[in-house]
Amino acid sequence: MATATQTSKNFIDGEWVDPAEGRTDPVYNPATGEEIAQAPSSTREDVDRAVKAARDAFENGWGTTTPAERATAILHIADAIEQHADEITELEAANAGKPFEAFKTDEIPAMVDNLRFFAGAARCMEGKAAGEYLEGYTSIIRREPVGVIGQIAPWNYPIMMAVWKIGPALATGNTIVLKPAPSTPLSTLKLAELCAEFLPKGVLNVIAGGNDPGAALVEHDDVDMVSLTGSVETGKWIAEHAARTLKRVHLELGGKAPVVVFDDVELESVLETIAGTGYYNAGQDCTAATRVLAASSVLDEVVNGLVEQASGYVMGDTRSPETTLGPLNSARQRERVEGFLERKPAQAEIVTGGKEPDLPGFFLEPTVISGLQQDDEMIQREIFGPVITVQPFSDEEQAIKWANGTPYGLAASVWTRDVGRALRVSNALRFGCVWINDHIPLASEMPHGGYGQSGYGKDLSMYALEDYTQVKHVMASLS
């Protein structure tokens, strides 16, 4: 586990290097508030060095490796993550506040499966058949790597989102400069260490730091594409500044997932799932089931049932198997969530939770709020904390209107035993993913990405490979 004496370095061109200006930033354990490490505070000079390494690696071989070579490397990385699961889990528990057992059980297998999927998918890229579409000429369609990819990962799923990004990028022959969030760099730097054994120098570079290196990646003339998982505001800034060099942009941004509960479902199991997926990772998830729309006839049962569910969560030592609710990422993030609660409108009621427990670190009690209206801030903006809101709807039409009635469009769920209604509502919802009678299950074979201000571009699936490639038409004269 990281200690207060540990000082991390950047990983550039196959080597561990100090940041150019020698500055570091403290890294904290959000469950205790204690400093556990120092991480590089990188600058544009560090980005320049990492981009040059990535460009050299791309042009000197990685961009033209065979799918089999790339697949083999990715499979080795997946195996290494599996073999180092305990060490990675220790880092993620300490640096990201993840309950140890939940991370090891849920996220490690998902990451390993994701990489193994992309290893196989690298060898199965499809394209239009070669043929004579103009007399006397044969046309060939090629899918080629984009080039150097700048990737910016978030703090809520530090290593899992890094894996989601490097998998398709490596599978398609790109090289990478990856920047983890400044508050959670430790597991991503460990990932760089594991990858180093299987990737040529410069293929994967990891630099730590805050906004400066992130902005430098976006604005760098020799970066061909930028991929962000992060906030809507950051995504807008990146889209604007990337446009100046017309580089490709891949954005997975915030969400405000509606959970539409009709009155024909068995509520006990439904509410257990909603709470489990609303409070998972302390609600710090763009797809979290935190915006419940309940049929008016079952509103009281839904609210009371969620209150009962909230009472069962245990906060505390993230390494304890008893702990089921971790802390928020930082004091700043907890203050942000508490700000929503403090600004609640007069008609809204905090039915349970909303207080800081008598614990070190940045914990917040699991919270349920009723009485909110569609235009209220807590309905319209992403809270990103352990806060579930409940609104009543009168009929299917109103449920659809309110579900679609925010700027976001990442994920949603519909709960009903009526197959026709389930299909009607799921078809009408403007979200990149809609689950029926469940929430959050993900498969590596299926795409994840949003509509509206939740961004564009797909993670997971063959669609991600399309995002990390560009299409070339080669036409040969037969004369």
Side-chain angles (χ1 to χ4, degrees), residues 168-180:
L170 293 175
T172 46
N174 298 283
T175 55
I176 299 165
V177 179
L178 172 63
K179 193 193 84 66

Side-chain angles (χ1 to χ4, degrees), residues 11 14-16 62 72-74 76-77 79-81 83-84 190-201 203-204:
F11 187 77
E15 298 179 352
W16 294 105
W62 184 254
T72 299
I74 296 169
H76 284 316
I77 294 169
D79 291 344
I81 290 174
Q83 292 159 9
H84 291 81
K190 179 63 182 179
L191 177 65
E193 177 187 319
L194 297 179
C195 291
E197 184 177 350
F198 312 111
L199 297 174
K201 293 171 57 175
V203 171
L204 174 63

Side-chain angles (χ1 to χ4, degrees), residues 216-255:
L217 269 178
V218 174
E219 296 172 339
H220 203 290
D221 288 342
D222 211 22
V223 170
D224 300 300
M225 173 178 165
V226 174
S227 172
L228 167 77
T229 299
S231 71
V232 172
E233 292 74 20
T234 302
K236 290 178 178 179
W237 187 94
I238 286 176
E240 177 185 351
H241 287 74
R244 298 174 184 176
T245 50
L246 288 179
K247 58 172 55 75
R248 197 178 286 198
V249 176
H250 180 281
L251 302 174
E252 197 272 88
L253 308 178

Side-chain angles (χ1 to χ4, degrees), residues 28-41:
Y28 298 97
N29 182 336
T32 65
E34 297 175 346
E35 181 180 322
I36 56 174
Q38 289 281 327
S41 180

Side-chain angles (χ1 to χ4, degrees), residues 346-369:
Q347 82 276 359
E349 177 188 1
I350 299 177
V351 186
T352 190
K355 298 182 177 64
E356 297 180 10
D358 185 18
L359 291 169
F362 313 124
F363 290 92
L364 187 67
E365 294 175 347
T367 305
V368 177
I369 300 180

Side-chain angles (χ1 to χ4, degrees), residues 324-346:
T324 53
L325 183 68
L328 292 166
N329 176 258
S330 63
R332 178 182 177 184
Q333 180 61 17
R334 183 168 66 177
E335 290 167 3
R336 180 182 179 277
V337 174
E338 289 173 332
F340 281 96
L341 302 179
E342 291 164 2
R343 295 189 300 271
K344 73 174 181 63

Side-chain angles (χ1 to χ4, degrees), residues 53-55 57-59 61-65 70 74 122 125 143-151 165-177 199-205 223-226 248 464-470:
R55 177 59 63 189
F58 180 76
E59 294 182 351
W62 184 254
T64 55
T65 50
R70 299 195 296 270
I74 296 169
M125 290 290 289
R143 275 202 174 272
E144 298 182 346
V146 176
V148 175
I149 314 295
Q151 298 184 324
K165 291 184 181 302
I166 71 170
L170 293 175
T172 46
N174 298 283
T175 55
I176 299 165
V177 179
L199 297 174
K201 293 171 57 175
V203 171
L204 174 63
N205 307 275
V223 170
D224 300 300
M225 173 178 165
V226 174
R248 197 178 286 198
L465 297 184
E466 294 182 5
D467 286 346
Y468 282 96
T469 57
Q470 49 196 355

Side-chain angles (χ1 to χ4, degrees), residues 404-429:
N404 286 334
T406 76
Y408 304 95
L410 185 58
S413 62
V414 181
W415 300 78
T416 179
R417 306 316 301 180
D418 183 328
V419 174
R421 178 162 59 191
L423 295 176
R424 285 195 308 273
V425 175
S426 62
N427 290 344
L429 293 178

